[in-house]
Each structure stands twice: as structure tokens, then as C-alpha cells.
Amino acid sequence: MATQRILDFLATRRPSGPCLVVDLDVVADNFRAFEKALPESKIYYAVKANPAPEILRLLASMGSSFDTASVAEVEMAMDAGAPADRISFGNTIKKERDIARAYELGIRLFAVDCVEEVEKIARVAPEARVFCRVLTDGEGAEWPLSRKFGCVPAMAVDVLRHAKSLGLDAYGVSFHVGSQQTNLDAWDKALGDAKRVFSTLAEEGIALKMVNMGGGFPTRYLKDVPTAQAYGQSIFEALSKHFGNQIPETIIEPGRGMVGNAGVIKSEVVLISRKSANDNVRWVYLDIGKFGGLAETMDEAIRYPISTAHDGTETAPCVLAGPTCDSADVMYEKTPYPMPLSLTIGDEVLIEGTGAYTTTYSAVAFNGFEPLRAYVI
Amino acid sequence: MATQRILDFLATRRPSGPCLVVDLDVVADNFRAFEKALPESKIYYAVKANPAPEILRLLASMGSSFDTASVAEVEMAMDAGAPADRISFGNTIKKERDIARAYELGIRLFAVDCVEEVEKIARVAPEARVFCRVLTDGEGAEWPLSRKFGCVPAMAVDVLRHAKSLGLDAYGVSFHVGSQQTNLDAWDKALGDAKRVFSTLAEEGIALKMVNMGGGFPTRYLKDVPTAQAYGQSIFEALSKHFGNQIPETIIEPGRGMVGNAGVIKSEVVLISRKSANDNVRWVYLDIGKFGGLAETMDEAIRYPISTAHDGTETAPCVLAGPTCDSADVMYEKTPYPMPLSLTIGDEVLIEGTGAYTTTYSAVAFNGFEPLRAYVI
């Protein structure tokens, strides 16, 4: 997955210390693949996945819209050239003063999942569009979502009715099938739930217009994942099945699926050792770990492909850990990671598929280590 | 645990957004309590727990030494006024160029746990003192350490012998009983292991001089913990039991125990909601979460005391979550946290005992949220 442009950059620039290199050509390809797979859907890039200004500018210029999690992300998207009407404030948890600030900036589309949030929006963002997030079970996702966001569909009806009664535009329903979702049927059940909310409110004269189908589109790590085209096909079929010939506006919010495979982290082997003379598992310590950008290895959830100059030679299982004095800073231990026997201290390794959820997750200065640097080329 | 000075600061300064406030008087009290409890031990403050310059300057002026995890932490300690001979490079995972840089800065005390690390040190830090970390099982600790650091005692003998053969000063043994260790007997077993390493090497004519007893000293969260005095007593008894009248130099490395109870995080309730009409657990969302400084709530390991203006009134169990769009950003869900029924959106809460492992753990910009600000008063 390390493109030739990334390999050339690393070979010529030789950056010292761990760093992420992102290839914008891959991001552009991903954007076009989503456009082609779901031609009727608007693409709202999930800024939180990687807010590098170069990525935001590229996507803004290609016509992307943006899903944002905070006022800072709204401002980043606008700085990159996105007009306010192409930005959604997609976090269901917002301070009232942040809603007011976003409204001042021109934002008119907000996520909610309870009447309490609707009331904040009604107070400081009159007539704004709101969509209500419904809970899904996230089955089949490698990074399943908890119940943190969304409410049951029956409550979504109450929430949207309340929005309407307060003068807001009860605009639609959203869901998220779980990050790194590889089960193509996941969207079917959620779209069925969404349709029921549409139908119930239609009976009361409230005509919803939009379904926000969230993210969940995967990056290829160690296993193959379905293509964007396959996702598009499944989603289109589910939309037709549930909405017939009255398919609403739809939004998708790819984050990982847009940038995950565009980035590679270059890291260095700091130490290889054993814990006792007869230990059959080596410990390999890198100069990046869970607190330096690889937070998604939490519970060994995401298993990144790692390449070395020794690939193709004999391997043996290793525990892979980060460089900090924190014992939780271990990436893969329950399921050791096979690494070449000839790997040595000082070797460079490439951690692939790391374009999403790495730089901004990284700790500000834990153990004195600086946050992950990024080069967007 | 919020001292009057902290409460006064918050009342008069009214900082906006989440922030940590650290009371230096408490840090000074803690330092004196450790001095009194273990008068024969040198105190090496674990800089990683909280590297705020004000804390480092205070401790340097009180005569503390410093345990550092990186060259950046070495430099911070020196900037705070600590001479090089009061600084230990305590991370067992170091790049050779970082060892060289620390040596240039005057550092002569290094941690190791394998022959590979010894060889790096021998190459770039001739004649330096090294101590070898041995594995302990961390039983009784609330944040148990994995096998990431240390080797079995039999291997420590080989490591220190190798150090000696390469011209280094085979100086001693270290261990860490696990963070937030409340079992006073934990030090006894580890000191027994240390003594065996001393004895074995003494037979070969290698006289170790020091035992680094690490950290593990707890902060009081929701449950009472033994006093520094009680730890001192137990440790002194274990030292006497194993080393008789030949007690070596000893070092302790308190981090959490030095600053944990000196800090309070001020946070705001962003949202309180339910997921369905008949949900009996409320979700309380704060403006700080796992990625904003409360990383130690991982697996609900550390349970911080939280106070509100409604304390003393009726409570009910809540799921407590952070403000980001990340479903993993939930602090307490498996064991819900009792919060006052009268708590409302916009209320301030104080998260106590948060002086350690919060600011530097915080993500650099996750979801666009800025890292945790800190005021040291």
C-alpha cells in the first residue's frame, strides 16, 4: 500500500523520527470511487479522520462536503475552501455556545439524538436543519460503535417531532453501521429503521428529506475488503427495497475509507529483546506506539500491515510495543505479530493503511515524545 | 481533594473550557511525606506523570532527583534546575542516538533490561552506570504493568555481567510493582528477587550498589490508600529482611504519588440524555474524555472522584462519556457512575485526583478539540 510517491519521498527526504506520509493521489482516487459507487449520494468527508489542510483543500476542490465534530473542524473546512452549506456539524454532543458559533459561521445542518440537543439548537440556530441519529447494533464492524451516539428509532420520532414544533427543519435520519464495516448487509437493517421513522412522521405531516448513511467504509488492512462499488450496489439495493421509488436525499460520511489507505507511517525499530533466555516470543519496540498515533490498536482492534526490508524471509511471532514507559503502550501481544527473524535494531518499518485516525489521536507530549509528524504529498 | 487554593483559582479566574489546576503546595507536601517515610532513599520524580515546568522547578529546588523517559524529559529536568547527576534515563527502550545525546548532556545513569540495550550504552556512554529492571507480577496494582519492561532475575544477572564486561558500571537492579499499588507486601517479593541478583553477582566479584524500587505509590481516588508512612515502614522491613545490615542505596520513583492528588480537572456537562424513553441509565457527556486527558479510564481502570454543586442530593447511575465523535470515548459504562439527579447541562464538575497522567496523555487535536490546558498555582 505504500505508493511509489511515498517510497520516493521517504528515500529522498529521509525524515528523522516517526512520521506519517499521505499520498493525495490516493485520496483523490478514493473520492472518485465513492462518487462513482454512490452517484446519487453527497459525500461528507469525516474531517476527524485526518484534518490535514492539504487533504481538506483537495477534497473541497473536488466538490466534497464535510462532516465536522467541533467548531475547530468547521473552521478548518471553511479555511480549506468549503462553503458553509457544504458543512454538517455532525457531533451529537455540542455546547450551546459552539452551536451558536457554527450558526454564525453559516452552518445550517446539525446532528441530534435527543430532545435536549434539539432545544439547544432551537435556541441559538433558528430554522436550522436537524437530522436525528438512530442506534444500530454495529454487527460485523471491526471497531463497533457503542451506544454512545443515537437513540432508538421510536425516540427519533419524538426528537424530530419536537424539532419541528420548535421551528426547526426536521430534515432526516442518520445512522452509523460501525467503523471498518465489512458486512454489506449492515446498511439494509439500518435503512429499514430509517424508513420506519420517515413513515411514522409522514403520517403526522412531517416530511423528512434526507438519510445520512454515515461512514463505516473500510480500509484494507491485512484482509481484503469489499470495493466501494460493492458497497454502492448493496446500499442502492437496500435503499430501493425500503424506499421504493421515493428514495430520499442521501449523505455518506467516509473518513477511514477516504484516507486510510493513502497513508503510511515510517517507524524505526528501537529495540528487539527477550524476557528470559528460553522466551520464544521476541519483543519488538518501535519508535511509535499507542500514544504516538496508533491508538486504534486499542484492544488489538485494528491490525495494520507492516512491511520491512526483510519481507519474504522467515518470520517468527513478536510482541509489538511502543517506546514509552507506559505498560499499556503495547500494540499486539494477545495475538503476536509475525516479523522477520532477520529484523534488527535500527531497521525501518512501514506501517501501512495509517492515513486515518493517527495524527490527531496522538498524545501531545506523552513521555516527552513529540506528536506524530505528517507529510502530505 | 480540591484544595481551597484550587477552588479560589477557579472561582476568580473562571477559565473557559476544560482545564487542570495543580496546587504546588500539595506537591511540596507529598515530597516531604516521601522524604520522611523513606529517609534513606533518594527520590527520583517520574517526570512523565506531569512535566509542568512549575512542578519540576519546585521539586528541583527541594532537592528531588528525576526519572526521565526521553531526551526531551532530560532537558526539561535540566531546564528546571536539576544537575545531570540527579537525573536517571529510566526508559529501558532508547535509541542509541538518544543515549548518546543524554550522555553528552551529562547523564550517567541508565536503565536496561536486555544485553542489546547494554551494548548500545557501552558504545555511546562509556563507563556509565546501568541498572537492570527485573519483571514483577504487579499483583494488587490497579493499573498492572504488562511484561513490557524488565526481564526475569536470572537474565538480569547475565545483563549486568555483560555490562561489566563492556566497561560499564553494573550499578544495580530496578523493579516496578505496578502503578497505584495498594498491597504493601508487593515490595517484599520484588526485593527478594533483587537480593538474589545481588548475591549471585557478588559471588562473581561484581558488587551491585543500588536498588531502584520504582513507583507504584498510589493516589487516593474513591478508596482510601495506605499512607506514605505505611509504605515506608513496609519497604524498610522488606529491605532489612532481605539485605540485613547491608542495605544498598535505594531510589524511589513516585509519579502519581507525587502529583496525582495535587490536581483537579474542571469540566462542563455538555449533554445529559437517554437512549430510549424507558432507559434507566442516563448518559452524561462531559467536555473532556478519554482523548482529552482521561486516558487512564481505559478499561475503566482508574475511577476518579467527581464532585458537583449538587453533592449530597439523590443520585442515579450514569454512563459517563467524552465529547468526541469516537464511540471509544466513554469513561464509565460497565460500572455506571452515580451522579446527582439534579445535574443539568452546563453544570461544572470537578474531576479530582487528576494531577498525574492527564495533560501529556491528551490527544493533540482529536476531533478538533485542543489538548488539556493546565494551570499550576
Side-chain angles (χ1 to χ4, degrees):
Chain A
M1 277 198 286
T3 64
Q4 197 56 48
R5 293 184 69 220
I6 292 176
L7 295 175
D8 289 348
F9 176 86
L10 288 171
T12 54
R13 288 283 294 273
R14 312 277 337 140
S16 162
C19 65
L20 170 71
V21 187
V22 176
D23 184 341
L24 285 175
D25 288 354
V26 179
V27 179
D29 286 348
N30 289 337
F31 183 79
R32 281 185 289 260
F34 280 117
E35 274 190 321
K36 197 172 158 215
L38 289 153
E40 305 298 324
S41 293
K42 273 195 203 144
I43 300 170
Y44 280 68
Y45 171 60
V47 174
K48 59 184 175 289
N50 191 327
E54 300 89 339
I55 294 173
L56 301 184
R57 282 198 296 268
L58 169 73
L59 290 172
S61 75
M62 293 180 82
S64 185
S65 296
F66 296 89
D67 163 47
T68 61
S70 61
V71 170
E73 286 194 355
V74 168
E75 290 169 338
M76 287 181 228
M78 297 184 85
D79 288 348
D85 64 3
R86 271 168 39 200
I87 298 171
S88 158
F89 199 157
N91 193 340
T92 52
I93 310 153
K94 300 174 288 299
K95 289 182 182 172
E96 191 166 316
R97 56 187 183 274
D98 289 342
I99 298 168
R101 173 75 185 130
Y103 188 79
E104 259 175 42
L105 291 169
I107 306 306
R108 294 293 180 270
L109 184 60
F110 295 89
V112 297
D113 67 358
C114 60
V115 294
E116 292 80 359
E117 194 76 9
V118 162
E119 285 174 0
K120 292 183 206 166
I121 295 172
R123 279 193 291 269
V124 296
E127 297 177 36
R129 292 173 168 175
V130 297
F131 56 93
C132 184
R133 180 152 168 181
V134 294
L135 276 167
T136 58
D137 60 9
E139 223 178 290
E142 284 187 23
W143 182 265
L145 306 179
S146 68
R147 284 159 42 87
K148 182 175 176 188
F149 309 104
C151 60
V152 298
M155 189 182 249
V157 169
D158 298 336
V159 167
L160 289 164
R161 186 191 293 123
H162 195 65
K164 170 86 177 175
S165 78
L166 294 178
L168 295 171
D169 185 354
Y171 198 64
V173 170
S174 75
F175 57 80
H176 196 296
V177 293
S179 195
Q180 186 70 5
Q181 177 60 262
T182 52
N183 174 9
L184 293 179
D185 297 331
W187 279 266
D188 179 66
K189 189 185 165 299
L191 283 167
D193 288 341
K195 169 61 180 170
R196 277 184 289 281
V197 177
F198 268 65
S199 301
T200 308
L201 286 168
E203 287 166 19
E204 305 178 17
I206 300 175
L208 301 182
K209 296 175 200 75
M210 185 269 284
V211 178
N212 177 340
M213 302 188 290
F217 308 99
T219 279
R220 188 191 185 286
Y221 295 110
L222 288 168
K223 284 178 243 160
D224 273 330
V225 295
T227 61
Q229 207 56 39
Y231 280 90
Q233 183 66 26
S234 287
I235 290 170
F236 181 74
E237 282 165 19
L239 275 168
S240 303
K241 170 178 156 192
H242 295 291
F243 288 90
N245 56 7
Q246 293 193 298
I247 293 180
E249 289 174 35
T250 54
I251 278 177
I252 56 169
E253 297 174 334
R256 188 188 307 279
M258 188 76 83
V259 294
N261 68 339
V264 168
I265 286 174
K266 188 270 294 180
S267 174
E268 177 181 331
V269 176
V270 182
L271 183 63
I272 304 177
S273 65
R274 293 176 198 266
K275 299 293 163 185
S276 68
N278 54 4
D279 207 348
N280 57 5
V281 174
R282 289 172 301 162
W283 280 68
V284 173
Y285 300 90
L286 302 180
D287 64 358
I288 183 173
K290 213 175 244 181
F291 300 103
L294 303 178
E296 289 206 314
T297 58
M298 202 189 294
D299 300 325
E300 310 196 6
I302 300 279
R303 210 164 162 85
Y304 296 107
I306 300 176
S307 66
T308 75
H310 308 277
D311 288 355
T313 66
E314 198 184 346
T315 65
C318 296
V319 175
L320 209 65
T324 67
C325 282
D326 195 303
S327 59
D329 186 14
V330 177
M331 282 80 83
Y332 305 118
E333 182 173 17
K334 281 176 221 152
T335 311
Y337 202 101
M339 300 285 277
L341 279 171
S342 50
L343 193 72
T344 40
I345 294 172
D347 279 353
E348 196 171 285
V349 304
L350 297 180
I351 310 172
E352 301 181 333
T354 42
Y357 300 114
T358 48
T359 48
T360 54
Y361 252 122
S362 133
V364 64
F366 191 53
N367 275 227
F369 293 108
E370 63 174 289
L372 183 61
R373 266 172 304 134
Y375 301 92
V376 182
I377 60 173
Chain B
M1 279 199 284
T3 63
Q4 197 57 48
R5 292 185 69 220
I6 292 176
L7 295 175
D8 289 348
F9 175 88
L10 288 171
T12 53
R13 287 283 295 274
R14 313 272 341 135
S16 162
C19 64
L20 170 70
V21 188
V22 176
D23 185 340
L24 284 176
D25 288 354
V26 179
V27 178
D29 286 348
N30 289 337
F31 183 80
R32 281 187 287 260
F34 279 117
E35 274 190 323
K36 195 171 160 217
L38 288 153
E40 304 299 325
S41 294
K42 273 195 204 145
I43 300 170
Y44 280 68
Y45 170 60
V47 174
K48 58 183 177 289
N50 192 327
E54 300 89 338
I55 294 173
L56 301 184
R57 280 198 296 267
L58 169 73
L59 290 172
S61 75
M62 292 180 83
S64 184
S65 296
F66 296 88
D67 163 47
T68 62
S70 61
V71 171
E73 286 194 354
V74 168
E75 290 169 338
M76 288 183 231
M78 297 184 84
D79 288 348
D85 65 3
R86 271 169 37 200
I87 298 172
S88 157
F89 199 157
N91 193 340
T92 52
I93 309 152
K94 300 175 288 300
K95 289 183 181 170
E96 191 165 315
R97 56 187 182 273
D98 289 343
I99 298 168
R101 173 75 185 129
Y103 188 79
E104 259 176 43
L105 291 169
I107 306 307
R108 294 293 179 270
L109 185 59
F110 296 89
V112 297
D113 68 357
C114 60
V115 293
E116 292 81 358
E117 194 75 10
V118 162
E119 286 174 359
K120 292 183 205 168
I121 295 173
R123 279 194 292 270
V124 297
E127 297 177 35
R129 293 173 168 176
V130 297
F131 56 91
C132 184
R133 181 152 167 182
V134 294
L135 277 167
T136 59
D137 60 9
E139 223 178 291
E142 284 186 24
W143 182 264
L145 305 180
S146 69
R147 283 160 42 86
K148 182 175 176 188
F149 309 104
C151 60
V152 298
M155 189 183 250
V157 170
D158 297 335
V159 167
L160 289 164
R161 186 191 295 125
H162 196 64
K164 170 86 176 176
S165 77
L166 294 179
L168 295 170
D169 184 354
Y171 199 63
V173 170
S174 76
F175 57 79
H176 196 296
V177 293
S179 194
Q180 187 69 9
Q181 177 60 263
T182 52
N183 175 7
L184 293 178
D185 296 331
W187 278 266
D188 179 65
K189 188 184 165 300
L191 283 168
D193 288 341
K195 169 60 180 170
R196 275 183 292 280
V197 177
F198 269 64
S199 301
T200 308
L201 286 168
E203 288 166 18
E204 305 179 18
I206 299 175
L208 301 181
K209 297 175 199 73
M210 184 270 285
V211 177
N212 176 339
M213 302 188 291
F217 308 99
T219 278
R220 186 190 188 287
Y221 295 110
L222 288 168
K223 284 177 243 162
D224 274 330
V225 295
T227 60
Q229 207 54 43
Y231 280 89
Q233 182 67 26
S234 286
I235 290 170
F236 180 74
E237 282 166 17
L239 275 169
S240 304
K241 170 178 156 192
H242 294 293
F243 288 89
N245 55 9
Q246 292 192 298
I247 294 181
E249 288 174 35
T250 54
I251 278 178
I252 56 169
E253 297 174 333
R256 188 189 306 281
M258 188 76 84
V259 294
N261 68 339
V264 168
I265 286 174
K266 187 271 294 181
S267 173
E268 178 181 330
V269 176
V270 181
L271 182 64
I272 304 176
S273 65
R274 292 175 199 266
K275 299 293 163 184
S276 69
N278 53 5
D279 208 347
N280 57 6
V281 174
R282 289 171 301 161
W283 280 68
V284 173
Y285 301 91
L286 302 180
D287 63 359
I288 184 172
K290 212 175 249 182
F291 300 103
L294 302 178
E296 291 207 312
T297 59
M298 203 190 296
D299 301 325
E300 311 197 6
I302 299 280
R303 209 164 162 85
Y304 295 108
I306 301 176
S307 67
T308 75
H310 307 277
D311 287 355
T313 66
E314 198 184 346
T315 65
C318 296
V319 175
L320 209 64
T324 67
C325 282
D326 195 301
S327 59
D329 185 14
V330 176
M331 282 81 83
Y332 305 118
E333 182 173 16
K334 281 175 221 153
T335 311
Y337 202 101
M339 299 285 278
L341 279 170
S342 50
L343 193 73
T344 41
I345 294 171
D347 279 353
E348 197 170 283
V349 304
L350 297 180
I351 309 172
E352 300 180 335
T354 43
Y357 301 113
T358 49
T359 48
T360 54
Y361 250 123
S362 132
V364 64
F366 192 53
N367 275 226
F369 293 108
E370 63 174 292
L372 183 61
R373 267 173 302 135
Y375 302 92
V376 181
I377 60 173

